[in-house]
Amino acid sequence: MVNTHRKLILNIYCSAIILPQICTCSQFTSSSNDQYNENPGVFPVATNGEPFPWHELRLPTKVIPLHYDLFVHPNLTSLDFVASEKIEVLVRDTTQFIILHSHGLEIMNATLQSEEDLRYKKSGEKLTVLSYPAHQQIALLVPEKLMADLRYSVAIDFQAKLADGFEGFYKSTYRTLGGETRTIAVTDFEPTHARMAFPCFDEPLFKANFSIKIRRESRHIALSNMPKVKTIEREGGLLEDHFETTVKMSTYLVAYIVCDFASVSGTASSGVKVSIYASPDKWSQTHYALEASLKLLDFYENYFNIHYPLPKLDLVAIPDFESGAMENWGLVTYRETSLLFDPKTSSTSDKLWVTKVIAHELAHQWFGNLVTMEWWNDIWLNEGFATYMELISVNVTYPELQFDNIFLNNCFEVIKSDSLNSSRPVSKQAETPTQIQEMFDAISYKKGACLLNMLKDFLSEEKFKKGIIHYLKKFSYRNAKNDDLWSSLSNSCLESDFTSGGFCYSDSKTTSNTLTFLEENVEVKDIMTTWTRQKGIPLVVVEQEGRLLKLRQERFLNGVFRDDPEWGALQERYLWHIPVTYSTSSSNAIHRHLLTSKTDTLYLPEKTSWVKLNVDSNGYYIVHYEAHGWDQLIAVLNQNHTLLRPKDRIGLIHDAFQLVSIPTDVLKIVYSVGAQTTEGWNYLLEQYGLSLSGAEKNKILYALSTSKHQEKLIKLIDLGMEGKVIKTQDLASLLYAIARNPKGQQLAWNFVKENWTHLLERFELSSFPMRIIISGTTSHFSSKDELQEVKLFFESLQTQGSYLEVFQIVLETISKNIKWLEKNLPSLRNWLLISI
Ligand code: BES
Ligand code: ZN
C-alpha cells in the first residue's frame, strides 16, 4: 500500500453475498478526515481554475462503488461513442465530494440520487464536476455532505472518440478477402485504462458488479463479460444488447466489443459455453483454440476444485492488439497470432505459443480475476501465478509438448536481467500509471513463476496445491497481498475442510503460519520475503571435502567480479533463505537443506564421488562447484551422461555458460535465405500482405528484416510507421528484428532517435512495445562511444520529463557488454588465431 496519509482500519464494510464465514473487516484503509475542508489552499487546481479537492494519485476510500449500470453506444462510422452510467456507491465516511478516475472523456452531465438519504430522494440533483487531468481524476462536488453508511446513486452522461491506440475503448480494423477495410470497437483496460472508457474507481481493490448495455447496428454483434439476456429494438433500426450482471470484479477486467466476427462453440464438462471469435475470413483458424480452451478449462476447474463462475467464456482474436492477450473475465482478448492456428502455415512452436497463451489467460480467471492483488506493486501475484500455472496445466493437458523444459527457459531468461544491479525486487512500490505499466516485466512474470516453482518443490506438490486452493477459496471475489499467500501456504489443511466449503487454519499443534520442514518449524513468509523483497539472484558456491559439503551464498552479479572494487558494497546485506537440493553419485535420493546463513557445512550420509546441486533446476539460484566439483561432474557426463537427469544437465550448461531463450524455426530460416535476393524479398513482401495467417506473417517479417540492403530495411520501417501493410502493433518486433541484423543495427537506432515523437504518437512511453523498441535497438551496443551516445539520448529525454526504468537497464547492459569484451577480447583473438 502506498498511501502516505494517516490510515484507519474500518470494520464496517463486507460483501455478505460472496464471503461466507470469515469476513468481518474491510479491505480498505481510509483517511480519517475530509482534508479539503481543513486546508483547501494546498490542493491542485482543476481545469476551470477552482481548487480540486484531492491531491493523491490513489482515490480516497470514503466512497466505494457497489454496482455500475453502464450503457455504451459506439458509432463505427463516426468513430466515437456516447455513453451513460449509474454508479451505486456506499459512503463509508461523511464527505463533500466523490473522486473518480476519468481520462479523455467529455462529461456532459452528472447527478446524484439516494433512496436512503431523504435530502437526495428526488431524482437528479445536479453535481458540479471538476477535472484534474494530471491525475486522470474528476471530482463530483455535492451540495450537502453525503452521510456515512448510506447508499447513493451517481448518474453520469459522457462521450469520447474511439481511441486511436490500443488502450481504453479503441478502434481496430481488418481487411476482408475481398479487399474491404472493416472497423470494430474493442476495449483493453489493464492496468489503468478503464478510465478512458467510463468514469470509474479504477483501482483493483474497488470491486463491484457491472450491468452492461451496448447499442449497435444490426450488421454487428456485441460481446461483453457476461452472456446476453435480451436484445431490444431502438429507433433508427438500432439494437441494444443487455448483458447479465457480472460477479464482483475489478474495473480492469471489464470488456466489451462491437464487431462482425464469426465463432465456433463447445461446452466444457461443467456446462460452461466456450466460444472462439475471429474475423469471418479467419474463422477456419479457430478450431485448435476451441479444443485447447475446453481442455484447459476442464483442467483448471478440476485442479482448483472451484467452478469457473460465469456461464460462458469467449476468446476473441483482435486484429490490432498491443500485448499478447488480456484476461478480461469471460471475454478474453488475444492478438491474432496468440489464438489462431492454421494447420497449413503454423508450426509446432506456433501451436505451443497458442496453447501457452490460452493456458495463461485461463489461469488468470482464478489468479487475478477471482482473487486480485490489492495493488499493482504485487502484480506478480497475477502474472507470476498465471505463468506458473501454464507449466502445471500444459504438462497435464498436452504432455507431448514437454512444457517443463520450456518453462525452465523462463528462469534462465529472467536470470539475465536479474543478475544486473539495475534489476528490481518482485514487489516494488508503483504509483503513477507509468510505474504501474513498468511492473509488467520479466521479474513479475518469469521470476514470479520460477519462485513459485521453487516453493512448490520445497513444500511438495500436494501441500503447495492445497495452499493455493486455500488462498483462492479464502480470497474469492476479494483482494490479496503477498502475506495472505504465504499464510495460506503455511496452513496445514485437511481435504475435508475444502470439500465442506470451509476455510481452515493452522492446526493447534503448530503455531499460526508455521509448517514443519525436516522436523524444524519454518515460516513460509520468512523464506519467501528474502526472494520477493530483495532483487537479484544468489550464487551458491559448494565445495566437497570428503564427507563434508561446504556451502556459501553470495549475490550473483553478471560482469562484476570478486576483485572489482565495487564487489563488497554490492554484496552488503544480501541474504536469501535458499532451499538447496542435491543428488550424489551414491543414491537416487534427493537431499534437502534450507540455507539461511552465509555459510554452512553439511555432513554427507555416505562417501560419494560427485555432488550435483539444484536438482531438476527447480531452485532460483546459480551453482558454482569449487575444488574438483566441476571436473567430477564433467567426468560423469563424459562417462555416462544419463546418470544426470535432463533438467540437471540443462542446468549445468546454464550455470557454466550463463546463456541458453531458442531453437530457430526452420521455416524462418528458409524464408530468410529467400529474402537475400531482391526478387525473393519482393515476393515475400507481397506474400506478407496477402497472408491470412498471423504466424506466417511473423516469420515472413522476420525474414524480410534479415536483408543486407539498408534501403529494404528502411522500406520496412516506413511500412510499419504507415500501419497499413505492416500493422503498427508489429512495429516494435520489426525494429527489434532489424536491430539484430548487423546491417540494421545503426539504422534502427538512428530511426528511433530521429522519430521519437512520431513513435510516441503511436505508443504510450511506458507501454510494452515502446520498452521493447528502446531496449531492442540499444542493448546490443558494446563500445564506450555507443554507451555515451545512448546515455546522452536518454538524458535528453529525461530533461523533457520522460524517465523509464528500462533506461537504467540498457545502460548497465551496455556497460556489461563493454566489460565483457575488454576481459575476453584478448583470449578470443588468441583463440581465433589458433583456430585459424
Ligand atoms: N494481463 C496480461 C496483459 C497485460 C500485459 C496487461 C501488460 C497490461 C500490461 C496478460 O495476462 C498477459 O500476461 N499477456 C501476455 C501473454 C502471456 C502468455 C505471457 C502478453 O501480453 O505478453
Ligand atoms: Zn498475464
Side-chain angles (χ1 to χ4, degrees):
M1 292 286 285
V2 283
N3 272 350
T4 48
H5 59 272
R6 198 142 58 94
K7 289 174 189 169
L8 241 184
I9 308 286
L10 294 183
N11 289 322
I12 52 160
Y13 171 69
C14 168
S15 155
I17 339 152
I18 310 293
L19 303 173
Q21 304 143 11
I22 52 121
C23 170
T24 52
C25 65
S26 158
Q27 293 205 310
F28 295 98
T29 54
S30 127
S31 58
S32 57
N33 50 42
D34 226 338
Q35 300 176 33
Y36 185 41
N37 285 350
E38 286 193 349
N39 192 357
V42 299
F43 285 90
V45 181
T47 44
N48 66 354
E50 285 180 33
F52 189 82
W54 188 250
H55 65 248
E56 294 183 28
L57 275 163
R58 297 280 299 267
L59 298 182
T61 52
K62 287 185 174 191
V63 180
I64 57 172
L66 301 175
H67 180 266
Y68 293 75
D69 257 314
L70 178 62
F71 164 79
V72 188
H73 177 199
N75 185 327
L76 298 192
T77 311
S78 54
L79 301 177
D80 47 21
F81 64 94
V82 290
S84 61
E85 67 181 347
K86 206 172 76 195
I87 314 177
E88 193 194 338
V89 298
L90 175 70
V91 172
R92 298 161 72 238
D93 199 358
T94 323
T95 183
Q96 192 90 49
F97 54 83
I98 299 172
I99 310 290
L100 293 172
H101 283 114
S102 172
H103 182 39
L105 300 171
E106 186 187 343
I107 311 285
M108 331 284 283
N109 189 40
T111 58
L112 187 81
Q113 196 268 339
S114 173
E115 290 299 312
E116 296 179 2
D117 184 337
L118 296 181
R119 298 168 307 159
Y120 287 103
K121 198 160 167 63
K122 69 172 174 30
S123 66
E125 184 80 51
K126 203 166 161 50
L127 302 176
T128 304
V129 183
L130 299 179
S131 20
Y132 187 51
H135 285 183
Q136 305 176 350
Q137 289 170 354
I138 55 169
L140 309 178
L141 308 186
V142 299
E144 286 184 82
K145 277 197 167 186
L146 305 181
M147 291 201 289
D149 299 332
L150 297 188
R151 287 167 193 240
Y152 296 82
S153 192
V154 182
I156 306 176
D157 298 326
F158 55 99
Q159 63 183 26
K161 286 178 86 61
L162 286 170
D164 280 326
F166 303 91
E167 284 114 14
F169 194 25
Y170 70 95
K171 56 180 180 290
S172 167
T173 56
Y174 71 94
R175 264 162 68 97
T176 62
L177 273 181
E180 180 193 347
T181 299
R182 293 189 186 163
T183 305
I184 69 162
V186 54
T187 56
D188 192 42
F189 291 165
E190 194 182 15
T192 56
H193 300 120
R195 63 191 71 171
M196 291 171 72
F198 59 99
C200 57
F201 296 79
D202 198 11
E203 294 181 9
L205 197 52
F206 291 111
K207 291 197 175 188
N209 305 95
F210 294 82
S211 304
I212 296 175
K213 297 175 185 163
I214 312 266
R215 198 172 289 182
R216 60 172 169 92
E217 292 177 45
S218 59
R219 65 187 164 126
H220 290 131
I221 57 166
L223 301 169
S224 186
N225 305 83
M226 296 296 284
K228 196 166 70 179
V229 205
K230 60 178 174 191
T231 301
I232 292 176
E233 282 188 31
R234 296 293 184 195
E235 61 192 38
L238 294 175
L239 299 173
E240 192 174 290
D241 294 326
H242 294 199
F243 297 92
E244 274 178 41
T245 301
T246 69
V247 292
K248 259 185 93 179
M249 58 191 269
S250 305
T251 45
Y252 79 89
L253 293 168
V254 171
Y256 35 89
I257 300 173
V258 175
C259 64
D260 61 346
F261 285 2
S263 64
V264 292
S265 302
T267 308
S269 309
S270 59
V272 174
K273 181 178 176 194
V274 177
S275 310
I276 316 292
Y277 285 84
S279 63
D281 294 337
K282 293 183 178 165
W283 178 83
S284 62
Q285 300 176 37
T286 53
H287 296 88
Y288 175 70
L290 182 62
E291 172 206 305
S293 48
L294 285 168
K295 261 194 191 181
L296 285 158
L297 188 63
D298 281 352
F299 172 83
Y300 284 130
E301 293 200 290
N302 270 319
Y303 186 88
F304 296 133
N305 183 23
I306 303 174
H307 276 299
Y308 168 79
L310 314 184
K312 66 93 177 171
L313 172 64
D314 295 331
L315 295 82
V316 190
I318 307 293
D320 300 270
F321 202 74
E322 186 169 89
S323 56
M326 174 61 213
E327 69 266 24
N328 315 301
W329 215 343
L331 184 62
V332 186
T333 41
Y334 293 80
R335 187 178 267 242
E336 287 184 342
T337 43
S338 305
L339 188 68
L340 302 181
F341 181 79
D342 178 0
K344 286 199 290 296
T345 55
S346 307
S347 64
T348 311
S349 72
D350 297 326
K351 191 172 203 171
L352 184 72
W353 175 249
V354 169
T355 317
K356 171 193 152 81
V357 184
I358 295 177
H360 180 104
E361 304 309 333
L362 293 204
H364 272 313
Q365 307 301 305
W366 286 263
F367 281 106
N369 300 9
L370 190 61
V371 179
T372 314
M373 71 279 143
E374 277 193 2
W375 182 246
W376 302 107
N377 61 329
D378 278 335
I379 186 62
W380 85 276
L381 283 177
N382 274 13
E383 298 302 347
F385 255 114
T387 308
Y388 167 76
M389 288 309 302
E390 291 169 21
L391 168 73
I392 304 299
S393 64
V394 177
N395 258 349
V396 172
T397 48
Y398 291 91
E400 70 279 10
L401 294 177
Q402 302 201 338
F403 199 80
D404 47 348
N405 290 336
I406 292 153
F407 180 82
L408 261 191
N409 277 344
N410 285 325
C411 312
F412 294 157
E413 229 176 79
V414 69
I415 287 171
K416 279 188 216 155
S417 60
D418 203 23
S419 54
L420 297 177
N421 194 37
S422 50
S423 188
R424 65 162 182 92
V426 167
S427 293
K428 187 191 158 207
Q429 207 180 313
E431 281 271 0
T432 63
T434 299
Q435 290 165 348
I436 292 169
Q437 286 258 20
E438 287 187 297
M439 294 296 285
F440 291 81
D441 66 0
I443 296 290
S444 293
Y445 280 75
K446 298 182 177 183
K447 185 170 180 180
C450 297
L451 295 183
L452 291 171
N453 184 53
M454 174 167 77
L455 184 58
K456 173 204 69 180
D457 185 60
F458 174 71
L459 294 176
S460 83
E461 181 141 21
E462 194 198 352
K463 191 139 205 148
F464 184 79
K465 182 176 168 185
K466 275 185 180 176
I468 61 173
I469 293 174
H470 178 203
Y471 165 83
L472 286 173
K473 292 195 170 171
K474 182 169 173 188
F475 293 97
S476 283
Y477 305 101
R478 295 204 293 151
N479 300 72
K481 51 189 183 310
N482 282 345
D483 286 356
D484 297 322
L485 175 66
W486 307 144
S487 55
S488 296
L489 284 162
S490 290
N491 292 321
S492 43
C493 299
L494 302 170
E495 200 55 45
S496 56
D497 292 319
F498 300 123
T499 44
S500 66
F503 303 110
C504 62
Y505 297 90
S506 305
D507 62 47
S508 52
K509 281 175 257 127
T510 56
T511 53
S512 130
N513 297 344
T514 307
L515 61 95
T516 308
F517 173 70
L518 301 177
E519 273 140 47
E520 279 183 54
N521 285 340
V522 185
E523 298 268 349
V524 171
K525 182 180 163 181
D526 288 348
I527 300 174
M528 292 314 290
T529 48
T530 71
W531 297 94
T532 54
R533 295 200 192 153
Q534 294 182 113
K535 65 182 177 183
I537 174 164
L539 171 72
V540 175
V541 181
V542 54
E543 188 183 346
Q544 189 195 343
E545 234 184 62
R547 283 173 67 179
L548 290 186
L549 197 62
K550 293 186 184 165
L551 301 177
R552 180 177 90 229
Q553 64 163 296
E554 59 190 51
R555 179 180 175 203
F556 175 74
L557 281 160
N558 197 338
V560 184
F561 307 97
R562 259 179 178 269
D563 46 6
D564 283 325
E566 68 265 38
W567 197 84
L570 288 168
Q571 291 290 330
E572 256 169 44
R573 292 195 305 274
Y574 278 84
L575 182 75
W576 285 268
H577 289 192
I578 310 174
V580 172
T581 53
Y582 57 95
S583 57
T584 70
S585 55
S586 47
S587 82
N588 285 329
I590 298 173
H591 303 270
R592 292 175 185 273
H593 174 72
L594 191 63
L595 179 64
T596 56
S597 50
K598 280 272 179 196
T599 59
D600 216 342
T601 303
L602 311 180
Y603 196 66
L604 294 169
E606 307 150 281
K607 213 164 162 283
T608 176
S609 61
W610 54 262
V611 177
K612 159 74 179 60
L613 262 73
N614 198 3
V615 177
D616 277 339
S617 303
N618 279 319
Y620 190 73
Y621 54 91
I622 292 166
V623 185
H624 175 60
Y625 300 88
E626 273 187 346
H628 300 295
W630 278 114
D631 294 341
Q632 279 153 347
L633 287 166
I634 290 165
V636 184
L637 289 173
N638 281 334
Q639 175 207 333
N640 177 4
H641 68 273
T642 59
L643 287 174
L644 292 177
R645 299 131 79 107
K647 278 187 278 183
D648 281 325
R649 301 201 297 262
I650 299 176
L652 277 179
I653 296 170
H654 171 262
D655 285 359
F657 295 102
Q658 273 305 291
L659 45 85
V660 71
S661 64
I662 309 171
T664 323
D665 200 287
V666 182
L667 206 55
K668 254 172 147 174
I669 302 291
V670 174
Y671 286 160
S672 303
V673 173
Q676 299 315 313
T677 65
T678 299
E679 302 74 41
W681 195 88
N682 289 338
Y683 175 77
L684 278 168
L685 184 60
E686 201 179 310
Q687 290 307 307
Y688 181 86
L690 294 175
S691 172
L692 275 183
S693 153
E696 187 176 51
K697 284 178 103 126
N698 274 350
K699 290 184 195 98
I700 299 179
L701 194 59
Y702 168 81
L704 290 168
S705 78
T706 63
S707 168
K708 302 280 172 291
H709 299 282
Q710 295 208 337
E711 75 280 1
K712 296 203 168 64
L713 302 178
I714 293 170
K715 167 134 199 210
L716 289 179
I717 297 180
D718 286 346
L719 289 172
M721 288 298 277
E722 195 189 37
K724 288 184 186 153
V725 178
I726 300 176
K727 281 188 166 267
T728 309
Q729 66 163 16
D730 297 319
L731 186 62
S733 42
L734 174 67
L735 284 170
Y736 181 90
I738 290 179
R740 298 273 130 342
N741 172 349
K743 286 274 186 278
Q745 268 183 17
Q746 201 56 39
L747 186 98
W749 167 232
N750 288 342
F751 170 81
V752 170
K753 281 187 297 179
E754 286 155 22
N755 292 277
W756 185 252
T757 43
H758 294 126
L759 286 170
L760 282 180
E761 284 159 14
R762 288 160 176 82
F763 303 105
E764 276 195 13
L765 175 71
S766 55
S767 65
F768 192 64
M770 206 62 184
R771 285 182 281 143
I772 289 282
I773 290 173
I774 295 163
S775 64
T777 55
T778 54
S779 52
H780 50 278
F781 286 141
S782 57
S783 77
K784 287 191 173 143
D785 287 349
E786 287 164 333
L787 175 66
Q788 187 57 16
E789 190 187 330
V790 174
K791 212 177 197 166
L792 284 176
F793 179 64
F794 288 170
E795 275 165 12
S796 75
L797 298 179
Q798 278 172 33
T799 51
Q800 295 160 34
S802 309
Y803 176 75
L804 285 182
E805 267 183 4
V806 73
F807 294 167
Q808 193 52 37
I809 296 173
V810 165
L811 295 179
E812 201 181 333
T813 307
I814 302 177
S815 307
K816 194 201 74 195
N817 295 346
I818 295 172
K819 230 168 145 180
W820 190 92
L821 263 190
E822 276 169 3
K823 208 177 166 75
N824 295 299
L825 202 59
S827 45
L828 267 180
R829 280 215 178 98
N830 265 342
W831 181 76
L832 277 174
L833 282 176
I834 297 166
S835 327
I836 291 163

